[in-house]
Amino acid sequence: MPQPTQTEAVVDNVITIVKSGEARNFLQNLWADHQGEIIRFGKILLLTIVVLVLAWVISRMLRTVIRKSAGKIATLDDSAAKVIHGVVRTVIWLFAFLIVLDLFGINTASILTVLGAVGLTVGLAVKDSLSNIAAGLMLFFLRPYKVGDYVDCGTVSGTIKEMGLFSTVLMTVDGVFISAPNSVIFGNPVKNYSRNPMRRADITVGIAYGDSLAQGVEILRELLMQNELIARDPAPEVLVSELADSSVNLTLRFWVSTENFWKVFWSVKQDLKSTIESAGLNIPFPQRVVTFATPLVLQDREK
């Protein structure tokens, strides 16, 4: 017959005490002998529950305050509110943990010393991750971009989908997922194509040297003025940008709202060919004139 384990033996003893009616006597003796310690432990346990509940309530309240504040500040969005609340919540629970340890009589000063030493060691080991956190905090406060902006940051470019303490998630125009470390983004110039309300578009097209330059400028200016989405102030311009080998290049320069930029850009580019051809002008293609010289030997023989 197998021998009972130590746990099973303890359970059997408790069951025996309860069945024999000695449990009440045991509790009475325990209370009589250790009344002060039991009351003290009960107070500590009650205070611990109060501290934990207060930490939870304060954390929830601050989350609501941070979200409402982020909604009122134009430079902050939901992602920034989440990160800020995460940092605040961690600090609150750390203080709550230290208070609970102090209630149970544990020397928190020595624990803080050990944690400081461990933190220094870990910090040296994960300095790259800490640099990402520092860069993430700077990006949250400086706000060079927000979720939904299209940006170009050094070697990465795309639409911002998520901002975190360690990395920023982007999606390229062809749907590729990019997770870029914050230190990489913060260490490079950030081009934000969505930040300003207006953007300027430049489109270049060539006409033949034999065509009327004034007529070409006029019909292209009319093309821009017919588009209601193109801004009138600043007024659209048609400039002679280059006297190329096979054509006179004209640049159409106009301003349009950022949200309609690509819609107008592709629309104007699509109408260029039909507009130029309908006016009797030509869009030349590159060509060269090659002249064959007569060799001197053949010239001498002909003489």
Side-chain angles (χ1 to χ4, degrees):
M1 182 176 180
Q3 296 295 327
T5 62
Q6 184 176 2
T7 303
E8 291 176 346
V10 173
V11 173
D12 292 339
N13 291 333
V14 172
I15 294 175
T16 302
I17 292 173
V18 172
K19 289 182 177 180
S20 62
E22 297 179 359
R24 184 174 181 180
N25 294 331
F26 172 77
L27 294 176
Q28 288 177 348
N29 293 332
L30 182 64
W31 174 258
D33 296 337
H34 305 282
Q35 181 177 357
E37 289 81 357
I38 294 174
I39 294 175
R40 179 176 174 275
F41 180 78
K43 290 181 179 179
I44 294 175
L45 187 61
L46 181 61
L47 289 174
T48 299
I49 295 174
V50 171
V51 169
L52 296 178
V53 170
L54 283 176
W56 181 81
V57 171
I58 294 174
S59 177
R60 300 279 292 187
M61 291 175 59
L62 288 178
R63 183 180 68 174
T64 303
V65 172
I66 292 172
R67 285 183 176 178
K68 290 183 178 180
S69 301
K72 296 179 181 179
I73 301 175
T75 56
L76 295 179
D77 53 20
D78 292 338
S79 59
K82 291 179 181 178
V83 173
I84 294 173
H85 174 255
V87 175
V88 173
R89 180 181 58 188
T90 302
V91 173
I92 291 174
W93 283 106
L94 179 61
F95 274 108
F97 177 72
L98 294 176
I99 292 173
V100 170
L101 291 180
D102 187 67
L103 290 175
F104 281 94
I106 300 174
N107 188 1
T108 55
S110 59
I111 293 179
L112 289 176
T113 303
V114 174
L115 289 177
V118 173
L120 179 60
T121 305
V122 173
L124 293 175
V126 294
K127 59 180 180 179
D128 293 336
S129 298
L130 293 178
S131 66
N132 287 329
I133 295 176
L137 292 175
M138 293 300 295
L139 290 172
F140 278 116
F141 286 106
L142 296 178
R143 309 304 297 168
Y145 52 75
K146 64 180 185 298
V147 174
D149 288 352
Y150 185 87
V151 299
D152 186 353
C153 310
T155 58
V156 295
S157 61
T159 302
I160 303 295
K161 292 298 180 181
E162 184 180 343
M163 300 169 60
L165 271 179
F166 293 93
S167 63
T168 298
V169 176
L170 304 92
M171 181 177 292
T172 62
V173 292
D174 54 349
V176 177
F177 172 91
I178 297 179
S179 179
N182 287 330
S183 58
V184 173
I185 296 178
F186 188 70
N188 287 282
V190 177
K191 289 184 179 180
N192 190 333
Y193 293 92
S194 306
R195 184 69 170 265
N196 295 330
M198 302 287 290
R199 285 184 60 186
R200 194 189 75 186
D202 292 343
I203 301 176
T204 300
V205 64
I207 62 174
Y209 272 97
D211 294 337
S212 171
L213 181 59
Q215 183 183 6
V217 172
E218 183 61 27
I219 63 170
L220 293 180
R221 183 179 288 111
E222 290 179 0
L223 172 64
L224 297 179
M225 296 301 294
Q226 290 172 1
N227 195 318
E228 297 180 354
L229 297 178
I230 294 177
R232 299 297 184 263
D233 185 19
E237 299 176 297
V238 179
L239 309 171
V240 179
S241 58
E242 183 183 10
L243 300 177
D245 294 337
S246 304
S247 64
V248 178
N249 292 337
L250 303 178
T251 297
L252 290 76
R253 178 172 294 175
F254 56 92
W255 288 82
V256 65
S257 64
T258 301
E259 59 181 353
N260 295 321
F261 180 84
W262 290 113
K263 176 183 177 180
V264 176
F265 182 88
W266 296 121
S267 175
V268 171
K269 209 164 190 178
Q270 180 179 347
D271 295 338
L272 278 177
K273 185 174 184 296
S274 59
T275 301
I276 292 175
E277 291 178 347
S278 64
L281 306 180
N282 300 294
I283 301 178
F285 52 87
Q287 53 185 318
R288 292 181 181 274
V289 178
V290 181
T291 303
F292 292 95
T294 304
L296 293 177
V297 176
L298 296 178
Q299 292 179 2
D300 294 338
R301 289 180 180 178
E302 291 175 357
K303 292 179 179 180

